Structure formats: C-alpha cells, structure tokens
Amino acid sequence: MKMQPPAHGYYCGDINDLLRGKLKKTLTEYISNEKKKGLVGFIGGPPCPDFSVAGKNEGITGSYGKLTIIYKRAILLYEPDFFVFENVKGLWSTKKHKEEYNKIKKSLARKGYIFVQKLVNSLEYGVPQERERIILFGIKYTLLSPDRKKSKTILKQDFDWGNIREYSSDLISRCNWPTISPFSEDNYIAPPDNIFEELTVEYWFEKNDVNNHPNGINYFAPRSTIRFETIAEGDVSKKSFKRLHRWRFSPTAAYGNNEVHLHPYKKRRISVAEALAIQSLPKEYELPQSMTKSEMFKTIGNGVPYLLSCGLASGIKRFIMNTIKNVRD
C-alpha cells in the first residue's frame, strides 16, 4: 500500500525520550503548531500482555503494564484535545486491573477530560476474528460546553463508535456457525446457510488472494514430529494448536504464548498473508521480506484489526465534525 509519510516523521525509540530532554521540546513545538490548525489527538494501545488472562497478568507493575502509565503521563503532559486508549478486556473486567484503570481515568479527569468507553468486538466491524478490546475515548469537556455535566451528556448522546449495525453481537450469535468438521487436506465444504459469509476465514482468504500474496510463502514449516492432520477443522479447544474453520471466524489473532493457528484444510500453520487477512488488512498490504517470520507474526498479532481501526476513526471524525464547532478537516 502506498501511504503518505507522517508530516513530522517517525520515532522508533523509547517513549520516555518524548517526555524529557530535547525530544520533549520538539514534540511540544509540533503539538503547539498543530493546535493552531485544528484539534490534536493521541491514539495509543500500550502493550497488553500484563493485563491479559492468557498473558503474564502482572498488571500495571509489569514490564509492559508500565507503558500504560507512561502513555497516561504523555497525555497529562501534552494535554491533547482528545485521545484514544485501547487495551485488552482484562484491564476492564479483572478486579485488580480495573482498580488501576479507574485511577488512570481519575487522573485524566482532573485535567479536564470526559470519557466514553465500550468493550468492542472486531466482528461488529466486519473483521473475520473474534477479538474483544476495551476502547476509552477522552476529550476536553470545554470543547463541547463550558459546563462539564452538559458536555458529558453531549458526548454520551452523540459519540459514534463506527460499528456496522448488521453485524451486531445479537445477530452474529443467531447464525448457524459450523463447529467441527473432519480434517481432510484440500477437501471441499460448502458454506452453510444462515451465516455472514463475509465474516469467515475462507471469504477473506479468497478476497485477499492469499496464495498469490507476497507473504503467502511466509509460514513456519511443520516439524516431522507434529501430526497436524489429527486436529479437526474448527477445533480451537486446545491451548496451543488451534485449527481454524473455513466457514467461521477466527479466534483472537494472538500468535504468542505458544498459540498456533492451523490452516483449515492444509497440513501447516497459517501464512503471514492469511494472518493479515484475518486482521482484515487490504489485499495490497504486505510486510517486507527483510523481517523474520517471528517478527511478522508478532507485528500482526499486536495490531488492531484494520476495519476496527477504520470504523473507530470514522466515528471519531464524524463526532468531531458534527459536534464540535470551528474544527477544520
């Protein structure tokens, strides 16, 4: 995909560098200049393993959990007009993590932010993957009204989460999704009736032409001691090897913690191209061959599904353009 480079370039170093020293001054100037043109927002999803029930579960004190605090500090320091904070369900649903999450919101509220939050599922945005994430959207209340209480009402009434109504959780749960089918290499199974075919693994494999995609050759070859054919199509009950079903959506694309997703009807793991499709990325998107396969899968698994990102971004833009006065496009 051809994308315009960011106006102020990239920085791939430690985020702490942006909170002190020369880079702090540089970023302060960038933000000040951009605020003269319109609104400035921070969008971030600090690494989540320390809040995931499938991860380390060390919380805010873990090596990854600390980055959530640093992201909060960045917001408090630079005071963007709005921000987006994304993380795993565990940060919101687990008691000990939720206490820290609420502390973060309280400190941000003292800086004049008001919030809406929602546990979203990527399926609701047209992604062929069941992936729940907590999304927190915060905005300076003075942008909506001088009165904080009135601003909260406006935000709750007008904010648009950008999901696709026809893919509501209720409608998805009513579908006749297949469970387990006997594995047979390269066999044919017709799509069942009463499903959203566009939410299935097979639909996206065909849509993205994964076999001819540049990253179609990037997959881990199975060791001779592993008999992938013994795992039925659609059997995702095992902790490690989970075989996807072609006519169902994928479980969360988390290619760590020894979790391996197998191709529905081939004796191998899924390829990078197939993983990109499960993340709903456009066919044209590819990862450079200079990356190792481990780096590729880690990058994909850590990402937010493309259509989920697009939906949220569209919803935020509509809210800003329709609700806040004198904001430039």
Side-chain angles (χ1 to χ4, degrees):
M1 293 178 67
K2 294 182 178 179
M3 299 176 65
Q4 292 294 327
H8 302 297
Y10 296 95
Y11 183 70
C12 298
D14 190 333
I15 187 175
N16 282 299
D17 297 341
L18 303 174
L19 305 180
R20 59 191 178 220
K22 185 177 179 181
L23 287 178
K24 175 183 175 183
K25 181 180 178 181
T26 300
L27 186 54
T28 299
E29 291 175 353
Y30 285 162
I31 292 173
S32 177
N33 290 334
E34 292 301 324
K35 281 191 173 183
K36 295 174 184 177
K37 305 174 187 177
L39 299 187
V40 171
F42 280 13
I43 299 174
C48 58
D50 287 323
F51 302 113
S52 173
V53 293
K56 298 180 180 179
N57 210 30
E58 294 179 353
I60 214 76
T61 59
S63 57
Y64 292 106
K66 291 176 182 177
L67 292 173
T68 296
I69 295 298
I70 294 171
Y71 182 49
K72 178 200 72 173
R73 289 174 183 164
I75 295 170
L76 294 175
L77 176 63
Y78 295 109
E79 296 192 51
D81 298 296
F82 68 90
F83 68 85
V84 177
F85 173 79
E86 175 266 349
N87 217 289
V88 292
K89 179 181 178 180
L91 179 62
W92 172 77
S93 62
T94 306
K95 184 177 178 181
K96 72 171 184 176
H97 299 331
K98 191 170 184 178
E99 289 176 357
E100 296 298 334
Y101 177 56
N102 287 334
K103 288 179 183 178
I104 290 172
K105 290 196 291 183
K106 286 180 180 178
S107 64
L108 293 168
R110 288 193 289 269
K111 277 286 189 176
Y113 289 101
I114 55 175
F115 319 100
V116 284
Q117 64 180 14
K118 185 178 182 181
L119 183 68
V120 304
N121 192 324
S122 59
L123 287 170
E124 298 172 341
Y125 294 81
V127 179
Q129 176 190 166
E130 186 168 29
R131 188 187 191 102
E132 290 185 312
R133 291 295 185 267
I134 183 70
I135 305 293
L136 177 71
F137 175 78
I139 190 168
K140 287 281 190 174
Y141 81 87
T142 50
L143 290 169
L144 304 179
S145 169
D147 180 78
R148 181 189 284 261
K149 186 175 181 180
K150 183 177 179 181
S151 294
K152 287 182 178 180
T153 300
I154 294 171
L155 179 60
K156 289 180 180 179
Q157 288 180 345
D158 294 355
F159 190 77
D160 179 359
W161 288 100
N163 51 330
I164 303 171
R165 297 185 186 280
E166 66 182 273
Y167 299 140
S168 69
S169 296
D170 180 57
L171 291 175
I172 291 171
S173 67
R174 296 181 191 178
C175 290
N176 184 34
W177 300 109
T179 52
I180 293 177
S181 304
F183 174 77
S184 179
E185 190 169 21
D186 292 326
N187 68 331
Y188 173 77
I189 298 177
D193 296 328
N194 189 30
I195 65 169
F196 289 113
E197 194 170 326
E198 63 272 28
L199 293 182
T200 65
V201 166
E202 183 70 0
Y203 174 90
W204 277 84
F205 282 4
E206 293 181 8
K207 177 183 174 69
N208 280 20
D209 193 17
V210 294
N211 292 329
N212 295 309
H213 188 280
N215 293 130
I217 61 173
N218 304 123
Y219 57 85
F220 289 100
R223 298 196 299 271
S224 58
T225 55
I226 299 177
R227 300 193 64 185
F228 286 157
E229 67 271 18
T230 63
I231 302 172
E233 181 172 345
D235 183 359
V236 295
S237 62
K238 297 174 176 59
K239 184 177 180 180
S240 182
F241 296 111
K242 302 177 186 291
R243 186 178 296 284
L244 307 181
H245 198 292
R246 72 191 81 186
W247 296 123
R248 200 171 69 213
F249 42 83
S250 170
T252 299
Y255 307 118
N257 300 313
N258 296 317
E259 184 167 321
V260 176
H261 289 181
L262 305 180
H263 193 284
Y265 45 88
K266 293 186 181 296
K267 297 179 184 178
R268 62 168 174 81
R269 299 185 184 192
I270 62 170
S271 69
V272 170
E274 290 153 357
L276 290 170
I278 287 169
Q279 283 282 53
S280 70
L281 281 150
K283 176 182 177 180
E284 297 76 21
Y285 188 88
E286 62 182 275
L287 293 177
Q289 295 296 331
S290 58
M291 296 175 69
T292 66
K293 288 191 285 288
S294 293
E295 289 171 338
M296 289 179 179
F297 281 107
K298 184 176 181 179
T299 298
I300 295 167
N302 286 343
V304 176
Y306 176 75
L307 289 182
L308 170 58
S309 301
C310 290
L312 287 171
S314 297
I316 292 168
K317 182 178 180 180
R318 281 192 294 269
F319 173 76
I320 289 174
M321 299 302 293
N322 296 336
T323 307
I324 301 174
K325 307 300 181 182
N326 301 319
V327 178
R328 300 180 185 177
D329 193 347

